[in-house]
């Protein structure tokens, strides 16, 4: 029994180890061919430094914190925009359906970079948004369009009897969605929603075009100062990988917990 549980874990660890060895060998071979001198010993200086008896975050950690702040705020608005859009697309209001459909189609069929430029140079100054708020809004609008379709599919998968039962119990639309409908929607759409969160974090690197000092911008500045492109960008890639894998693990845990809780009901 224990072997059956441990075997997949050992296989995954072995596969990751083999992949890491292969990547290290490939990079080392390429560096030798280009006569590139690795400077990995300098990378920790851009992660944290020790001064006055304390550890302080360096450029990469400071950029990571900005990235996390932007992603967290954008995620909240992404879920809000996505839910409102999904509900409007399923409503009986023609105006609501038209506005929601237009929003989804426009956002999904234009590049994120173009949307960022339009918000930053055109709409942002008109409505008084700074760079940070513009970055959050751009990411939220972009991911919200995709999240809306996921939530709409989740809402459509809920049996109509659930809505009717909530109405029969005298629940208002707010409490019907909050206590009956949305918990089931989240349980059914958690994996694709996690993919959207991961995409949001990766897309947050694009906001560096607005001179926001996020992880990507800090990495670009370090590379320009140190001429260490490989070490810095591989470190940044590893940071993003750890962040997204942590979210995937959290999602798997939540999916298990939600599934278990619903099976008990």
């Amino acid at each position: 029994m224990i072997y059956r549980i441990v075997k997949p874990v050992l296989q995954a660890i072995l596969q990751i180890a083999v992949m890491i060895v292969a990547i290290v060998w490939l990079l080392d071979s390429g560096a030798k061919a280009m006569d590139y001198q690795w400077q990995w010993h300098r990378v920790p200086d851009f992660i944290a430094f020790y001064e006055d008896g304390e550890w302080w975050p360096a450029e990469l950690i400071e950029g990571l914190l900005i990235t996390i702040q932007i992603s967290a705020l954008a995620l909240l608005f992404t879920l809000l925009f996505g839910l409102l859009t999904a509900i409007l697309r399923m409503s009986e209001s023609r105006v609501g359906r038209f506005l929601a459909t237009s929003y989804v189609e426009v956002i999904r069929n234009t590049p994120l970079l173009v949307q960022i430029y339009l918000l930053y140079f055109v709409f942002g100054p008109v409505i008084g948004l700074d760079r940070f708020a513009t970055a959050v809004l751009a990411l939220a609008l972009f991911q919200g369009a995709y999240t809306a379709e996921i939530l709409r599919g989740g809402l459509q998968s809920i049996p109509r009897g659930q809505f009717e039962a909530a109405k029969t119990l005298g629940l208002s639309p707010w409490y019907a969605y909050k206590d009956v409908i949305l918990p089931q929607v989240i349980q059914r759409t958690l994996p694709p929603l996690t993919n959207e969160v991961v995409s949001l974090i990766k897309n947050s690197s694009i906001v560096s075009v607005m001179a926001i000092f996020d992880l990507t911008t800090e990495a670009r500045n370090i590379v320009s100062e140190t001429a260490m492109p490989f070490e810095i960008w591989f470190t940044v890639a590893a940071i993003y990988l750890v962040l997204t894998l942590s979210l995937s693990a959290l999602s798997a845990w939540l999916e298990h917990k939600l599934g278990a809780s619903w099976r008990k009901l």
Side-chain angles (χ1 to χ4, degrees):
M1 182 66 180
I2 298 178
Y3 177 74
R4 291 181 180 179
I5 299 175
V6 174
K7 182 179 178 181
V9 177
L10 293 177
Q11 289 177 341
I13 294 175
L14 179 60
Q15 292 172 357
I16 293 173
V18 171
M19 182 180 67
I20 291 175
V21 170
I23 292 175
V24 170
W25 175 82
L26 182 63
L27 291 176
D28 186 63
S29 300
K32 290 180 179 178
M34 295 186 299
D35 196 24
Y36 182 82
Q37 300 296 322
W38 293 107
Q39 303 181 65
W40 287 107
H41 63 282
R42 298 178 60 188
V43 172
D45 296 334
F46 302 105
I47 297 176
F49 61 93
Y50 188 77
E51 187 178 22
D52 297 330
E54 295 184 27
W55 284 99
W56 300 89
E59 292 92 331
L60 291 180
I61 296 299
E62 291 177 347
L64 175 62
L65 294 177
I66 297 297
T67 294
I68 292 175
Q69 291 177 15
I70 291 175
S71 300
L73 288 173
L75 176 59
L76 294 177
F77 287 103
T78 292
L79 296 175
L80 178 62
F81 294 158
L83 182 59
L84 291 177
T85 304
I87 292 175
L88 284 176
R89 293 201 68 178
M90 297 176 61
S91 69
E92 298 179 357
S93 170
R94 292 184 178 180
V95 176
R97 291 199 305 270
F98 172 76
L99 291 175
T101 303
S102 299
Y103 159 64
V104 170
E105 293 302 323
V106 169
I107 295 297
R108 293 181 64 179
N109 290 284
T110 54
L112 174 58
L113 185 59
V114 174
Q115 297 171 24
I116 290 176
Y117 280 137
L118 287 175
L119 282 173
Y120 184 50
F121 292 108
V122 181
F123 299 108
V126 173
I127 58 180
L129 294 179
D130 58 13
R131 288 180 294 184
F132 187 89
T134 302
V136 171
L137 180 60
L139 289 172
L141 288 173
F142 183 78
Q143 297 296 152
Y146 292 89
T147 303
E149 294 301 283
I150 295 173
L151 294 176
R152 184 166 71 97
L155 288 170
Q156 290 177 336
S157 69
I158 304 297
R160 193 63 191 173
Q162 296 286 327
F163 294 89
E164 296 173 354
K167 185 182 295 186
T168 302
L169 292 173
L171 296 178
S172 64
W174 164 258
Y175 285 104
Y177 272 94
K178 174 178 173 292
D179 297 329
V180 179
I181 306 302
L182 287 182
Q184 298 181 65
V185 171
I186 292 175
Q187 184 198 24
R188 299 183 183 198
T189 61
L190 191 56
L193 285 178
T194 302
N195 292 336
E196 290 304 311
V197 175
V198 171
S199 297
L200 188 152
I201 292 174
K202 292 188 294 185
N203 288 334
S204 68
S205 62
I206 303 179
V207 303
S208 60
V209 299
M210 294 188 295
I212 292 179
F213 290 94
D214 66 330
L215 181 57
T216 303
T217 301
E218 294 287 5
R220 187 185 296 118
N221 293 339
I222 294 172
V223 170
S224 65
E225 295 173 0
T226 62
M228 295 166 49
F230 295 109
E231 294 90 336
I232 297 301
W233 287 119
F234 278 121
T235 301
V236 170
I239 292 174
Y240 274 113
L241 183 62
V242 169
L243 189 58
T244 55
L245 287 178
S246 300
L247 287 172
S248 298
L250 177 61
S251 172
W253 179 79
L254 286 175
E255 187 177 0
H256 172 73
K257 296 294 289 185
L258 289 174
S261 64
W262 276 99
R263 282 193 295 270
K264 292 179 182 178
L265 296 177

